[in-house]
Amino acid sequence: MIATNPVDVLQALIRCPSVTPHEGGALTALQQLLEPLGFEVSRVMARDEGTPDIENLYARLGTDGPHLMFAGHTDVVPVGNEAAWSHPPFAAEISEGMLYGRGAVDMKGGIACFIAALARLVEEKGAPKGSVSLLITGDEEGPAINGTTKLLDWAASRGEKWDACLVGEPTNPDQLGDMIKIGRRGSISGTVTVHGVQGHAAYPHLADNPVRGAIKLAESLMNPPFDHGTDNFQPSNLEVTSIDVGNAATNVIPASAVFKFNIRFNDTWSAEILQAEILRRLDAAAADTTLRPGREPIGYDIVWSERPSHVFLTRNNALIASLSDAIEKVVGASPQLSTTGGTSDARFIKDYCPVVEFGLVGQTMHMVDERVAVEDLETLTRIYRTFIEQWFANAVA
Ligand SMILES: [Zn+2]
């Protein structure tokens, strides 16, 4: 296969059915593409109790600095209803200028374009003066326990150090070149259980309805706003995502009520300070007797789900400018620098080096008929190539 053609590379990758946690041949295909370009390739198996074993890949071209990392994943989400696809999800068929397949934009397409960009550069000018690495996980769409974090630990323990990272996730809402992600909001989830006393709905003085307390506590988290946004981030936002009582009887006051929430927060807060603020609000609301006159403060417990995702903002101007300039050179317009959307593996990479994210147009990711414009693959390859040359020129200067 000719690695300089992103369409060929992407078709080969889509034809490997690498639904998390299966490798599906995708990493072997990558290895076969990277070794002829001069990369030293390592396959790294990661294991953890209660999660499936995952195979990951780390490949490096060159031994000296400066060192640029490209990060991504070859695992894909399930196809859903296969009969609903207009082209089979692992066939990589092209129809009317669109290449169809699971992972086309999220994110085998980004990987294909990066490899093609590098292959063209190596073919025409030789390898960059420095090193280029690919950090590719098979566990981004799954629990993400045996993926990027473990691979970063593994590489760092072998003495790998990076100066900058580009994550090739789809970042553009509408058109290629719209948007670079230069940071991400943090995320924290929690479950609050409000305790009451079960009883007859006609004798409320003998019971203590936890629904009243749950409403009060939930409201305290939704109002007032946590902040009004910062220079680089939209306002932090908390959503109550579920309120459960599990009570089928209208004449029974239940014994407890549970609600869950998730907050996406900006750089006004650290995760720890925000958790303290949430507890402060809950305690203040628990003492409010508006809905429960004459009663004790509301009794509640809170359990924080998972580890929090920390907020981050990349301030490395050379990295952002190299990418932004490359996009402008190729598409003729400069991208928006954004911190919107969910979390990504960039939140792990930022602990090792400055990181930005830029890939394809995300509109069809995770959907039936996931697809990419063949023209976009060529454009992204040209952007990546310009970026690589620009970044090394800036880093060496
Ligand atoms: Zn992805």
Side-chain angles (χ1 to χ4, degrees), residues 218-229 235-239 261-266 268-269 273-282:
E219 191 200 7
S220 79
L221 298 184
M222 293 186 283
N223 185 51
F226 281 79
D227 57 66
H228 298 285
S236 300
N237 182 60
L238 184 143
E239 290 297 323
F261 66 88
N262 173 258
I263 183 164
R264 300 295 164 131
F265 61 96
N266 63 35
T268 305
W269 309 90
I273 290 172
L274 185 59
Q275 284 174 319
E277 167 64 11
I278 288 169
L279 292 178
R280 190 198 64 73
R281 287 185 178 217
L282 291 173

Side-chain angles (χ1 to χ4, degrees), residues 109-121:
I111 295 173
C113 292
F114 191 84
I115 290 176
L118 203 61
R120 290 178 188 182
L121 186 62

Side-chain angles (χ1 to χ4, degrees), residues 73 106-107 140-141 169-170 366:
H73 61 91
D106 185 12
M107 61 159 279
E140 199 274 342
E141 306 285 11
E169 291 278 8
H366 295 207

